[in-house]
Structure formats: C-alpha cells, structure tokens
Amino acid sequence: MRNILVVLWAVLACWGSRAATPELRFRPSGEFKIVQFTDVHFQNDNPASEIALTRIHEVLDHERPDLVVFTGDIVYNSPADRGLKQVLGCVAEHRIPFVALFGNHDAEQGMSRDRLYDVIRSVDYNIQPDRGEETSPDYALTIRSSKGQSDACILYCMDSNDYSHLKDVKGYGWFRFSQIGWYLETSRAFREGNGGRTLPALAFFHIPLPEYNRASADEQAVMIGTRMERACSGALNTGMFAAMKESGDVMGIFVGHDHDNDYSVLWHNILLAYGRYTGGNTEYNHLPNGARVILLKEGERRFETWICEADGRRVDFSVYPDSYVKDDWRKRKPIK
C-alpha cells in the first residue's frame, strides 16, 4: 500500500543545493497558470534535442507560469541523470516551481525510478515531496487562496506506471488498486478538511485512461485539438476515472504518451486532455512541438486552456466547461 502523501505547501526553507521554494498560491487577480511539458524524449549529445530545450525556454518566457508539470518520458538515453538535470535545469533557470512525473521510458535509461526521483528532487525549484520508502509516490499539491491560508485547488500528481507485469496481458501499465485507494482517501480527507465542500482539482500523469478512447469515439462529444492516433491506454481498466467521477473533485485530466494527439474532450463532465509533444525529432511526432497551458480561476470550477507553440503562438483555446457543452438551440434568439 502506498503511503498517503498529501503535500500542504508552505514556504520551504533552503537546504543543501535546493533553492527556497515559494508556496503555490493564486495571484491577486484570482488566477493560477500551469504549463505542462510532456514527452521531451531528451537525448544527451543529440542536436535533435536542442529544439526541445529552446521550446521550453520560449514557452516559459511567453507564458510566465506559476507552476510547471512534466508528464513523463523526459529522458531517452543515458546517462539519465545528466539528461534530467539539463531539461529540468531550464525551468530552474526561470525560478519557477516544478514537478516531474514518470512515463514508460524514463526508467529504461540505466537508472531506476527511485534513483531518478531523487535526481529530480535535487534540482532547484522542484517541489515534490521526499519519497520516503516509496519508489515513485503519488502526491497532491494544494494551491492556496489569493488571500489567507485556505486551500483553493488540488493538483493530483500520479505515476501511471509503465508496462503490464502479467505474463498473459500485453501492453502498457495501469493504475493499481492501491493507487485508486490513495486517491479516494486523499480526496475524502481534503473534502472533510474543507467543511464537507469539494475543492476543484486537476490530475496529471503520463498514460491516458481507457476512457480517452471512449470519449474520442463519441460523435456527440466536442473535441478541440488534434487526434491522429488511438489513445495507447493501459491494457486493463482498474477504475481510476470512475473513482474521480464519484469523488467529484477532478475537473480535468492531463496526460502525454501519444505524440500525435493534443486534443481535449469532455467525458461525463471531466475534461480528458493531452499535452503537446515537447521533444525534438528523437521520436515520432507530426505536430509542432510546444506545451499545454492551463489557467485556473480561483473559487470556480472553470479554467482556460490552450497550446503554446514556437514564438509564444497560442492555438486551440478553450474554456472548461463552456467550450465543450452544446448550447440549447431552443433557447437561441431568432435570427432577424
């Protein structure tokens, strides 16, 4: 059973080589901006990876986020620690808090998940918790209200694992029941700590849930962005989407993994979204590399999101939930 790691962020003191990290808090304007980088597939000493670093700097210069989330497959050759530090160092240069989650390829480069996790934590401005005895823990970050010390939003950061470990089941990994139990218990604890009221939340991990395929196949669903391949979800469905739906806090799920997808689609009032492939030509890709941006609104179950490409160009802007809900044609004003 995974330890319950609920991270209630206050100002962290500087220790060792780690820079002092500010708490996550909504701006006085009531906004909080997140940039999601995914599938950097960085290769040491490969010029094809330079465009990934360039794009990371460009996006951060233009968007100036409050938090950066990497959703897996960051490194793609060895030494993995050198590649990780080079990629994550781009964010540290901008003095922006960040977290980095694992994909299915990160631990294939000569270093295990626990060793990679410790490398990530050694980079300045990383804010994920000590892993304790866990190899790669799931954890929750909270964003404080713009005024006061109350929690205003939850960010679930999870390890979607890599491949099936069952001999008679092929394909990608899935969330274990212990992880689903962790999520349900953590969500319940936040709700009870908030006087029985559900806080709005987002979830980040690498491998898409099976529901991505169901949602994208629904001809009545509103899809924004590009879909050029089937979602390569886990081989088994252990019910993480159902858990999030029943708990009622998660507004949107953000993943990577499938390089030719960057769409977002609503499924049972939860937005299922991809980031934009961030890497260079070290793996297959047919979209200009970039990042997804999420702009949260304090006190609302509402957020804006878009894709940021080269030179800060923004595409596929949408608003959750408004952009994904068809209006009632019977209430439209007649055309004069």
Side-chain angles (χ1 to χ4, degrees):
M1 178 67 69
R2 293 189 169 212
N3 295 331
I4 297 177
L5 296 172
V6 180
V7 185
L8 306 176
W9 289 106
V11 177
L12 300 179
C14 178
W15 78 95
S17 63
R18 292 167 62 86
T21 307
E23 64 182 354
L24 302 182
R25 179 181 292 276
F26 278 93
R27 300 172 184 177
S29 64
E31 297 180 334
F32 187 92
K33 183 182 286 188
I34 301 169
V35 161
Q36 176 198 4
F37 294 117
T38 196
D39 295 86
V40 180
H41 282 276
F42 183 82
Q43 291 186 331
N44 296 290
D45 305 316
N46 186 344
S49 282
E50 290 304 314
I51 190 174
L53 303 183
T54 297
R55 193 69 67 247
I56 289 172
H57 282 298
E58 280 187 349
V59 170
L60 297 180
D61 282 336
H62 283 89
E63 296 293 350
R64 299 184 181 277
D66 302 291
L67 175 70
V68 169
V69 179
F70 288 88
T71 51
D73 282 359
I74 302 170
V75 290
Y76 208 37
N77 73 354
S78 60
D81 54 346
R82 177 184 160 202
L84 264 181
K85 289 178 180 179
Q86 192 163 352
V87 174
L88 303 181
C90 294
V91 183
E93 285 182 35
H94 292 260
R95 300 184 179 184
I96 299 170
F98 75 90
V99 296
L101 310 176
F102 292 129
N104 53 294
H105 289 301
D106 294 300
E108 296 176 337
Q109 317 308 323
M111 293 184 70
S112 61
R113 265 169 153 72
D114 53 350
R115 292 177 64 196
L116 290 172
Y117 192 96
D118 293 341
V119 171
I120 292 168
R121 288 197 73 245
S122 74
V123 179
D124 288 348
Y125 295 95
N126 176 263
I127 61 170
Q128 55 204 69
D130 187 295
R131 61 181 176 82
E133 297 181 357
E134 297 292 329
T135 298
S136 175
D138 300 327
Y139 52 92
L141 308 176
T142 58
I143 307 173
R144 297 296 182 94
S145 61
S146 56
K147 299 178 181 179
Q149 294 299 315
S150 61
D151 295 331
C153 188
I154 310 165
L155 306 177
Y156 295 106
C157 301
M158 307 185 72
D159 187 339
S160 54
N161 302 303
D162 46 18
Y163 304 99
S164 169
H165 296 287
L166 300 178
K167 293 182 179 179
D168 58 341
V169 178
K170 306 300 181 183
Y172 292 106
W174 50 83
F175 282 110
R176 303 184 183 98
F177 292 123
S178 59
Q179 293 180 273
I180 297 171
W182 170 86
Y183 162 73
L184 290 169
E185 176 60 24
T186 304
S187 178
R188 182 193 62 78
F190 275 120
R191 184 167 57 251
E192 291 180 354
N194 193 44
R197 297 183 299 275
T198 300
L199 288 171
L202 303 178
F204 296 88
F205 43 88
H206 181 70
I207 298 176
L209 299 173
E211 283 78 7
Y212 273 70
N213 281 319
R214 294 194 63 186
S216 62
D218 185 349
E219 294 181 355
Q220 297 300 310
V222 177
M223 178 185 291
I224 298 175
T226 301
R227 178 182 183 267
M228 289 194 287
E229 60 180 318
R230 179 178 174 82
C232 294
S233 59
L236 299 180
N237 190 341
T238 48
M240 181 60 81
F241 182 89
M244 291 179 172
K245 178 59 183 176
E246 289 191 1
S247 287
D249 55 354
V250 173
M251 302 181 291
I253 297 171
F254 298 87
V255 302
H257 191 51
D258 302 321
H259 309 167
D260 284 346
N261 292 336
D262 71 353
Y263 65 81
S264 52
V265 60
L266 196 67
W267 189 243
H268 295 294
N269 294 319
I270 296 178
L271 191 68
L272 302 180
Y274 279 95
R276 171 66 72 85
Y277 179 80
T278 306
N281 291 330
T282 56
E283 249 293 355
Y284 80 94
N285 66 95
H286 297 89
L287 291 166
N289 71 334
R292 178 170 289 280
V293 185
I294 305 149
L295 187 64
L296 290 162
K297 306 291 184 176
E298 184 178 3
E300 301 181 40
R301 290 190 63 84
R302 179 176 176 272
F303 59 84
E304 298 173 359
T305 184
W306 59 89
I307 300 296
C308 183
E309 299 180 336
D311 300 321
R313 182 172 59 255
R314 295 176 174 180
V315 298
D316 295 336
F317 175 88
S318 67
V319 178
Y320 167 88
D322 307 38
S323 301
Y324 302 89
V325 179
K326 295 180 180 180
D327 64 351
D328 188 341
W329 60 269
R330 290 165 295 190
K331 296 181 180 180
R332 295 178 191 163
K333 294 180 180 180
I335 298 176
K336 295 181 179 179

